[in-house]
Amino acid sequence: MAYDVEKPDEQWRAELSPGEYAVLRKAATEPAFTGEYTDTKTRGVYSCRACGADLFTSETKFESHCGWPSFFDPKDTDAVELIEDRSHGMVRTEVRCARCGSHLGHVFAGEGYPTPTDQRYCINSIALRLAPEQG
Ligand SMILES: [Zn+2]
């Protein structure tokens, strides 16, 4: 599919840090419990670090204890794109930014978390940038 924001690979590589590039453009996963937003409770909006699209808010962030920032719903349904991922011998659902196609993480369902959706958007901190709420 075509994304609103598309750039040649060399440009992404130049604009992003090596760690950001590996996750956002090469679907790497940051090590558990190392991301800057894992335990963040600051109120605000999380946007895509590659293109700046608003993706998640602190309103739907919850403590999953899984080692990555976890949300039970995206900010808007069409802010993210869900894609079946059969890598690593598993069937998972990949979560991408719908505006630029960058990899964000995976979404899991039916794990029994006490949230309204019973879904866990397990997102790499390095794929996000938090804009704290003003005032
Ligand atoms: Zn994006």
Side-chain angles (χ1 to χ4, degrees):
M1 85 176 254
Y3 297 102
D4 288 350
V5 175
E6 291 195 347
K7 299 178 186 180
D9 192 56
E10 318 83 74
Q11 193 178 341
W12 285 123
R13 198 189 292 268
E15 290 180 0
L16 301 169
S17 74
E20 292 165 355
Y21 177 81
V23 171
L24 288 158
R25 305 308 305 173
K26 296 297 170 189
T29 299
E30 67 190 7
F33 300 104
T34 63
E36 65 180 297
Y37 298 133
T38 304
D39 298 313
T40 301
K41 294 188 177 63
T42 306
R43 290 168 59 90
V45 175
Y46 291 87
S47 59
C48 174
R49 202 175 285 200
C51 77
D54 288 351
L55 300 175
F56 296 94
T57 74
S58 55
E59 304 285 301
T60 59
K61 193 171 187 291
F62 70 101
E63 290 185 67
S64 66
H65 307 288
C66 74
W68 292 275
S70 299
F71 305 86
F72 61 78
D73 215 17
K75 184 169 185 291
D76 297 299
T77 310
D78 56 5
V80 297
E81 178 186 22
L82 304 181
I83 294 175
E84 185 177 82
D85 173 9
R86 291 183 171 268
S87 65
H88 304 293
M90 296 175 273
V91 179
R92 294 178 296 172
T93 303
E94 181 187 1
V95 182
R96 291 186 188 176
C97 171
R99 187 194 280 174
C100 72
S102 290
H103 174 81
L104 304 171
H106 289 86
V107 59
F108 303 90
E111 298 176 311
Y113 286 105
T115 61
T117 63
D118 201 8
Q119 287 188 315
R120 174 170 62 93
Y121 285 78
C122 181
I123 306 298
N124 292 284
S125 293
I126 204 167
L128 301 173
R129 179 163 285 126
L130 172 63
E133 199 169 273
Q134 301 298 314

